[in-house]
Amino acid sequence: MGDAPLKRENEGDELGQKAKKQKGDPEADPSGNGEECGEENILSGFKTTAVLKDSAREKTIFLHGKLDEQEAVVILQKTPITAASVAEMFACSKLKLEMRNDIYSTYHLQPPAHLNVLKATVVCPATEKHVKKYQVQESFLVEETGEDYLSITLPYIQEKSFSLQWVFNILEKKAEADRIVYEDPDPDVGFVLLPDFKWDQKQTHDLYLIAIVHQRDLKSIRELTAAHLPLLQNICTKGKEAILERYGLPASKLRVYFHYQPSYYHLHVHFTALASEAPGGGVERAHLLSDVVQNLRADGGFYRQRSLSFPLRADDGLLAKFQQAGRL
Ligand code: GTA
């Protein structure tokens, strides 16, 4: 159930795979790249200057470099293997024996190109903050009071946080409009639900969507009060309903939460599959939507007044601000 193929996407995907199979037929095109390489390969000009992070376990590499003379970050990630593709993979791959010992054997399996796709994420032009965000760094846990938020964090994020242009593009249908899974257009309680750009949408075991609120004056959970309960309840109910309808995943299989601190200071909710380990899902950063709702019901000023803890990376300017204020 957890890795059930997507309802709509997989129908399209299987059709897409058949088309690609003909196009990228390894017999006709040994590189497996077909025309696609010449068409849109903006990455052919990418020059790597540094490896920011890599993980053999997550099969990801984060690269810093130059793309057309502009600073860029490129993330390459091996995508999960879907159960639906296994039969074709076994039938069509080249298999080379690596070793055999008693009942054990390992192979080098070379699937056809259309079953061997990497997900590439490109940030260009990338700011220094983007480069730092993806770099491996020591972290420090900070405990922020309500007063710290107003005197240290808020002034810092007003000056230094990431651009929200991508968020406004989504809300105004200037980008990703065709990816929207659900929208409630109400200006007070409405939101847009769409796949997070970390998810390749091929299988539900790593499902990842975000709900972005239409209200523009809410930066993070710090600014929520009891007045926002209708908004939060609306996201909770309609977001879960939309995911059940589109992907067949019930609420009991979802982790629905905020990040504090987030990277992008426009209120949004993460919907991830319970079976997955999404980055930022740890107790030091994730706040379950259901807990936030209950805390606000018990005390409407909870998130304005209570201390909140979160990790900051060694080179984060906000950490320096906490240090200068003698709060660390
Ligand atoms: N649909 O243009 C976008 C877009 N952008 C720019 C960001 N997001 C977007 N979604 C769409 N279109 O989940 C998504 C992000 C994130 C959410 C913002 O919006 O993918 P947040 O404000 O709480 O920020 O959420 P967060 O979680 O820190 O950001 P992010 O990018 O997920 O980074 C956290 C860590 O995840 C990184 O440090 C890195 O270790 C890891 N990570 C980031 N991107 C990738 C990736 N592509 N592949 C693998 N790991 C990644």
Side-chain angles (χ1 to χ4, degrees):
M1 176 67 204
D3 61 354
L6 298 189
K7 279 182 179 174
R8 290 190 200 169
E9 277 69 10
N10 243 34
E11 290 164 18
D13 189 43
E14 282 182 0
L15 289 175
Q17 287 190 358
K18 277 181 198 148
K20 279 185 219 154
K21 192 181 165 195
Q22 285 161 3
K23 200 171 163 189
D25 181 352
E27 299 285 302
D29 170 24
S31 74
N33 292 330
E35 303 143 27
E36 286 156 32
C37 185
E39 267 172 24
E40 284 189 41
N41 188 3
I42 57 156
L43 289 177
S44 62
F46 181 76
K47 299 210 168 40
T48 303
T49 50
V51 175
L52 301 172
K53 181 163 65 175
D54 61 358
S55 163
R57 194 173 71 90
E58 288 161 22
K59 300 179 182 56
T60 319
I61 188 162
F62 295 69
L63 303 167
H64 176 209
K66 290 254 169 139
L67 197 51
D68 294 335
E69 301 307 315
Q70 301 202 83
E71 296 295 327
V73 171
V74 173
I75 304 167
L76 295 179
Q77 186 170 36
K78 292 218 174 188
T79 54
I81 299 161
T82 59
S85 68
V86 167
E88 188 186 353
M89 198 177 278
F90 288 159
C92 302
S93 297
K94 285 180 191 159
L95 198 67
K96 194 173 155 211
L97 181 71
E98 281 182 339
M99 74 89 183
R100 193 195 308 275
N101 183 349
D102 188 34
I103 60 170
Y104 307 99
S105 52
T106 67
Y107 298 85
H108 183 94
L109 186 144
Q110 177 81 58
H114 68 284
L115 294 179
N116 194 18
V117 175
L118 294 187
K119 181 172 166 61
T121 304
V122 180
V123 183
C124 183
T127 63
E128 198 187 333
K129 203 170 157 68
H130 284 113
V131 175
K132 285 182 176 170
K133 172 184 160 116
Y134 295 117
Q135 219 155 20
V136 186
Q137 284 259 332
E138 190 181 0
S139 289
F140 298 86
L141 198 73
V142 173
E143 192 177 318
E144 177 200 69
T145 64
E147 279 178 18
D148 292 334
Y149 176 71
L150 295 175
S151 63
I152 305 173
T153 309
L154 184 59
Y156 180 79
I157 62 181
Q158 278 169 335
E159 197 192 334
K160 293 276 187 187
S161 49
F162 284 122
S163 162
L164 295 176
Q165 193 54 52
W166 68 272
V167 173
F168 302 142
N169 287 347
I170 288 171
L171 295 176
E172 292 163 20
K173 318 287 159 29
K174 291 179 181 163
E176 304 189 52
D178 55 335
R179 287 160 45 92
I180 292 175
V181 169
Y182 177 81
E183 176 172 18
D184 177 340
D186 186 281
D188 294 323
V189 300
F191 64 97
V192 170
L193 179 75
L194 80 169
D196 190 280
F197 82 161
K198 288 200 288 284
W199 185 36
D200 70 359
Q201 300 183 67
K202 292 278 193 286
Q203 58 286 310
T204 55
H205 72 246
D206 61 345
L207 174 141
Y208 200 146
L209 290 99
I210 41 171
I212 302 175
V213 304
H214 273 299
Q215 282 195 44
R216 299 224 173 173
D217 55 353
L218 285 173
K219 290 185 175 51
S220 70
I221 55 170
R222 247 316 173 202
E223 305 199 332
L224 293 174
T225 67
H228 301 110
L229 281 168
L231 167 69
L232 303 183
Q233 275 153 353
N234 195 42
I235 295 175
C236 185
T237 308
K238 292 192 181 150
K240 287 174 178 174
E241 279 171 10
I243 289 175
L244 178 63
E245 193 186 328
R246 170 70 74 100
Y247 303 106
L249 215 60
S252 59
K253 295 280 184 184
L254 294 175
R255 187 189 293 111
V256 186
Y257 58 98
F258 298 92
H259 277 156
Y260 194 74
Q261 301 285 335
S263 291
Y264 302 97
Y265 288 90
H266 176 109
L267 192 74
H268 57 274
V269 180
H270 302 252
F271 287 76
T272 61
L274 196 60
S276 71
E277 282 179 38
V283 290
E284 74 281 26
R285 191 149 180 246
H287 297 253
L288 286 178
L289 174 58
S290 55
D291 286 347
V292 173
V293 166
Q294 288 195 55
N295 289 337
L296 287 173
R297 275 201 198 125
D299 172 5
F302 188 98
Y303 289 98
R304 301 243 168 158
Q305 286 139 21
R306 297 287 285 268
S307 290
L308 297 176
S309 296
F310 47 83
L312 288 177
R313 296 146 57 88
D315 65 358
D316 193 318
L318 185 55
L319 183 74
K321 295 283 179 200
F322 271 86
Q323 284 164 334
Q324 285 160 19
R327 294 290 293 114
L328 268 184

